[in-house]
Amino acid sequence: MEKTVEVRKTYKYRLYRNNKVDGSIHQQINVAGMIWNHALALQKRYYQLTGKYIPLFVMQKHIAKLRMRRSKYAYWKVLGSQAVQEILERLDEAYARFFKKQGGLPRFKKVKKFKSFVLKQAGWDVLDKQAGKKYRKIRIGKKIYKFVYHRPLNGEIKMVTIKRDTAGRLWVCFSVIEKMAIPEPISTGKIGGFDFGLADFLTTNNGATIASPQYYKRDLPRLRAIQRRVSRKIKQSNNHKAGMWHMSRRHIRIADKRLDCHFQLAHDLCDQYDVMVFEDLNLDAMKKLWGRKISDLGFAQFIKVLDWVALKRGKRIIKISRWERTTGKCSHCGHTQKLGLSERVFKCECCGNTLGRDHNAAINILEAGHRLILSQSTEVLANSKAVGVNGRSPCLGIGSMSL
């Protein structure tokens, strides 16, 4: 039996190139970058003078006055008022993460490298909604743009984001709330444990390995050749800009290949398993040890893709704690011992069990997943026993509970 869930999705479409009107969007994105830098400078200056933080509402009110009353900042009016408020909300969220020690201090950004602005209730409208057309039109501000309508747009549109990638291409992203039907999953009756590694992307509890293509490493000689040619050109010249565009396109192509590989692998795993167990890794610390190889593998992106594919297909993803002992623990007898990073084979000092390092860790991850499932089911059972007849709690004696 199918069940319906309400999800937040983003539909991304490419804007048609049009030199006559593209300049307006680029100008708006540049203005968004200027407002970010101006607000950040105000925060830093105010903190130096008073040691305090400017609240979001006060900052929004101040920027609105500058836009409307100061001729020096009149050009900020090309960007809608809601887009300006959203930029300041982004900055406020960045400071909130910094105060919670969840991220670094917000930084100034190059205006030409600023990526996007967001429109919420006003400032946009989707036009020409006839079915069967390969393109649609959208009004942004007072100008009309075409975008490639390569797939149907479903759900209620809540937010529109205009993005600019590193190659200068423009995209329109519709954030919608959509009711998605999840079909009855085809059960395979299998649960798998997976260990992430550098030699092999994933190792299963059965000992099978899944290699990573490492697209960046494969394309590195080509990227180095392009970079050498670009470095010889005069900065800001047309040849230099063309070389930078070419280099950006190569990086985008690498990222697209990696994302496509992750989607294919996610669907393959969902075909084979009902439940998949992974370890919650500290990837930032791993990057400090192994650098760009961790970024090239893209494990964090793969987990996000797998979460989404599993949701659509009715599968389940379990993440065990990063503090769970998986590498230096024997999967046969449970004995723990030290294991160096260079040791690729685990040999138990207690029972003599010998397995590959990643294979042994994958078995331990699977066992930890089994324990987590058992503990969760025990909690659910205990909660259900605490509920009396007709959903009334025998302990409290008041109200009703829905399970």
Side-chain angles (χ1 to χ4, degrees):
M1 182 178 178
E2 289 188 353
K3 63 178 181 179
T4 304
V5 296
E6 197 173 71
V7 296
R8 191 72 178 252
K9 292 179 67 175
T10 300
Y11 290 87
K12 186 176 180 180
Y13 302 93
R14 171 81 183 273
L15 286 176
Y16 277 91
R17 286 191 59 188
N18 187 338
N19 293 332
K20 291 183 179 179
V21 292
D22 280 1
S24 175
I25 290 187
H26 286 292
Q27 183 185 11
Q28 292 180 63
I29 297 176
N30 291 343
V31 168
M34 294 176 186
I35 292 173
W36 169 279
N37 290 337
H38 185 87
L40 181 56
L42 284 177
Q43 288 285 13
K44 289 180 176 290
R45 183 62 175 165
Y46 188 76
Y47 181 79
Q48 289 176 354
L49 295 175
T50 65
K52 296 180 181 179
Y53 176 76
I54 304 175
L56 174 61
F57 174 74
V58 176
M59 180 65 77
Q60 289 177 337
K61 188 176 180 180
H62 175 71
I63 296 297
K65 285 182 179 179
L66 291 182
R67 290 176 70 242
M68 303 306 296
R69 299 181 183 179
R70 297 284 295 273
S71 58
K72 180 179 178 181
Y73 303 104
Y75 67 97
W76 285 2
K77 294 180 183 179
V78 299
L79 192 63
S81 58
Q82 289 189 354
V84 174
Q85 291 176 4
E86 195 276 335
I87 293 166
L88 300 178
E89 288 171 5
R90 281 193 225 174
L91 181 62
D92 186 68
E93 290 173 1
Y95 267 108
R97 289 193 299 271
F98 170 70
F99 293 142
K100 293 177 183 177
K101 297 183 179 180
Q102 296 176 352
L105 191 67
R107 298 180 180 180
F108 293 105
K109 299 182 180 180
K110 289 186 177 180
V111 171
K112 291 183 178 180
K113 291 186 178 181
F114 204 77
K115 295 181 179 180
S116 64
F117 65 89
V118 176
L119 302 171
K120 295 182 179 178
Q121 293 91 353
W124 63 273
D125 188 21
V126 179
L127 311 173
D128 196 14
K129 299 180 181 179
Q130 298 179 7
K133 286 195 172 184
K134 293 183 179 179
Y135 67 89
R136 290 280 179 92
K137 293 181 180 179
I138 180 172
R139 178 183 58 79
I140 302 172
K142 296 181 179 180
K143 297 191 177 183
I144 297 175
Y145 305 85
K146 289 182 181 180
F147 61 90
V148 183
Y149 193 67
H150 64 277
R151 61 173 176 167
L153 177 61
N154 303 317
E156 181 186 359
I157 301 174
K158 291 294 186 180
M159 195 165 57
V160 176
T161 304
I162 308 300
K163 287 192 173 183
R164 174 176 63 188
D165 62 19
T166 54
R169 300 178 301 174
L170 297 174
W171 305 81
V172 56
C173 304
F174 298 96
S175 180
V176 305
I177 293 179
E178 180 182 345
K179 290 184 178 179
M180 185 176 66
I182 298 179
E184 187 69 23
I186 301 174
S187 178
T188 62
K190 290 184 179 181
I191 176 172
F194 301 88
D195 180 61
F196 169 69
L198 300 181
D200 297 300
F201 183 64
L202 291 177
T203 303
T204 70
N205 58 289
N206 296 326
T209 58
I210 300 172
S212 173
Q214 296 189 31
Y215 293 106
Y216 183 81
K217 182 179 179 181
R218 186 187 301 178
D219 227 30
L220 194 57
R222 179 65 177 166
L223 285 170
R224 284 172 174 165
I226 296 172
Q227 181 62 53
R228 281 195 297 269
R229 288 201 297 268
V230 172
S231 65
R232 298 189 190 103
K233 302 182 187 302
I234 300 173
K235 286 188 177 181
Q236 303 303 321
S237 66
N238 289 334
N239 286 337
H240 183 268
K241 292 177 182 177
M244 292 295 292
W245 177 87
H246 186 41
M247 189 165 59
S248 298
R249 289 290 294 130
R250 297 296 299 187
H251 280 287
I252 291 172
R253 184 172 177 81
I254 292 169
D256 290 344
K257 287 180 180 179
R258 186 186 298 118
L259 182 62
D260 180 64
C261 176
H262 287 168
F263 266 102
Q264 292 185 34
L265 179 56
H267 280 285
D268 289 343
L269 292 181
C270 288
D271 288 338
Q272 300 175 43
Y273 299 95
D274 286 341
V275 181
M276 289 153 280
V277 187
F278 291 88
E279 194 174 8
D280 181 22
L281 299 172
N282 185 0
L283 294 175
D284 290 334
M286 295 177 70
K287 286 178 184 177
K288 293 180 180 179
L289 285 176
W290 293 288
R292 68 178 177 219
K293 188 168 185 178
I294 299 296
S295 301
D296 191 12
L297 295 172
F299 182 69
Q301 176 183 267
F302 170 71
I303 292 297
K304 289 181 180 179
V305 169
L306 185 60
D307 280 335
W308 172 245
V309 173
L311 173 65
K312 291 196 297 182
R313 300 187 56 173
K315 306 294 184 175
R316 186 179 177 189
I317 306 297
I318 295 177
K319 297 176 184 175
I320 66 171
S321 171
R322 66 181 60 173
W323 307 113
E324 185 77 31
R325 189 72 180 266
T326 58
T327 302
K329 178 182 176 181
C330 178
S331 58
H332 184 260
C333 67
H335 172 74
T336 59
Q337 62 190 54
K338 289 185 178 181
L339 195 67
L341 291 174
S342 59
E343 297 179 57
R344 304 310 306 168
V345 177
F346 179 87
K347 186 174 182 180
C348 181
E349 298 172 349
C350 183
C351 67
N353 180 38
T354 304
L355 284 174
R357 176 196 184 98
D358 295 339
H359 184 196
N360 179 71
I363 296 174
N364 288 327
I365 290 171
L366 177 61
E367 291 177 354
H370 276 299
R371 291 195 298 270
L372 188 59
I373 293 173
L374 184 60
S375 64
Q376 291 174 352
S377 60
T378 304
E379 289 177 4
V380 172
L381 183 62
N383 292 334
S384 64
K385 287 181 178 179
V387 178
V389 181
N390 297 327
R392 189 175 297 275
S393 174
C395 300
L396 299 177
I398 57 174
S400 63
M401 299 176 62
S402 59
L403 295 177

